[in-house]
Amino acid sequence: MLVKLYPDNPNSREVNKIADVLNQGGIVVIPTDTLYAFACSMQFKKAVETIAQLKGFSLKKAKYSMLCADLSQLSEYVRPLDKDTFSLLRECLPGPFTFIMDANNEVPRNYQNANKTIGLRVPANPISHAIVEAVGCPLIVTSVRQEDMESEYLTDPELIHEAFGRRVDLVVDGGIGEEEPSTVVDCSGGGFEVIRQGKGILPE
């Protein structure tokens, strides 16, 4: 199923329908401010396993991010932030960044990396923001990007639906997406390190 939403005014009725699908353990493809992404509620391990299968990798090797509605929700899932880290997050979010941070006990171990960290996002996209707010908890997300995938299948929701529509519960059409991924910044263990330069530019 393909559901059309407009970024400047996401229809609340459709957003709630999408949230209902996610709250029942469904998998949805959603737009972000970078690539389109597979998404599921963090409450459903089975859905996360299915996303790993869609991406073609084992659950242990999967690299997920938690998509949060805002900085307040993000802070519920990480260890206490120092002043510099909080200032950086406040300046960059919402925005096209994934921040790798030390996870706290609210994050299931299945979603943590081997060193007990988790990537966290607050994208500047009204559609994804409305959806995660309606769900009421963070979403587990990973981009639809796969090896040898043509760029059109990363950015065009109709082509994404053609490729994955039978394997997910629905695809959200939020318009043509970006080809560039988020910038990944490692904030774990003190200091900041850009480990993937993407769309986001860190402030100097």
Side-chain angles (χ1 to χ4, degrees):
M1 180 184 299
L2 189 64
V3 177
K4 177 69 175 178
L5 289 176
Y6 296 94
D8 55 347
N9 186 26
N11 183 289
S12 59
R13 182 177 297 179
E14 295 296 336
V15 168
N16 287 333
K17 288 180 181 178
I18 295 164
D20 287 343
V21 170
L22 290 163
N23 280 327
Q24 292 170 16
I27 297 169
V28 177
V29 175
I30 64 171
T32 71
D33 52 358
T34 54
L35 301 169
Y36 271 82
F38 296 114
C40 68
S41 167
M42 68 176 292
Q43 307 293 335
F44 294 93
K45 179 185 175 183
K46 186 175 181 180
V48 179
E49 292 172 347
T50 300
I51 290 177
Q53 293 170 7
L54 287 167
K55 289 282 286 190
F57 47 45
S58 68
L59 187 61
K60 290 183 179 180
K61 293 183 178 180
K63 292 185 178 180
Y64 298 107
S65 296
M66 287 178 63
L67 189 154
C68 300
D70 51 34
L71 187 55
S72 176
Q73 187 180 66
L74 179 154
S75 66
E76 296 176 16
Y77 297 93
V78 297
R79 294 181 183 176
L81 302 175
D82 61 52
K83 183 179 179 180
D84 290 341
T85 302
F86 181 78
S87 295
L88 179 67
L89 296 180
R90 188 171 57 182
E91 189 166 357
C92 292
L93 299 176
F97 295 90
T98 300
F99 288 100
I100 298 176
M101 310 186 73
D102 296 311
N104 65 21
N105 292 333
E106 297 298 318
V107 180
R109 289 187 179 181
N110 293 323
Y111 309 155
Q112 298 180 24
N113 299 319
N115 54 355
K116 297 183 180 180
T117 59
I118 183 71
L120 292 121
R121 292 205 64 190
V122 182
N125 180 285
I127 293 174
S128 55
H129 179 265
I131 292 170
V132 72
E133 276 206 325
V135 170
C137 71
L139 302 180
I140 301 299
V141 298
T142 185
S143 75
V144 298
R145 183 193 295 276
Q146 297 188 8
E147 290 185 10
D148 302 323
M149 196 173 189
E150 295 180 8
S151 61
E152 292 83 357
Y153 283 85
L154 296 173
T155 59
D156 188 328
E158 292 188 1
L159 293 178
I160 293 171
H161 183 261
E162 178 185 307
F164 299 108
R166 295 183 180 181
R167 303 175 67 189
V168 300
D169 292 280
L170 59 86
V171 175
V172 178
D173 179 353
I176 299 299
E178 300 277 347
E179 291 187 40
E180 196 172 12
S182 64
T183 293
V184 180
V185 184
D186 189 349
C187 298
S188 63
F192 314 123
E193 180 184 1
V194 176
I195 59 176
R196 182 183 73 194
Q197 182 62 58
K199 184 180 176 183
I201 304 298
L202 280 182
E204 296 182 359

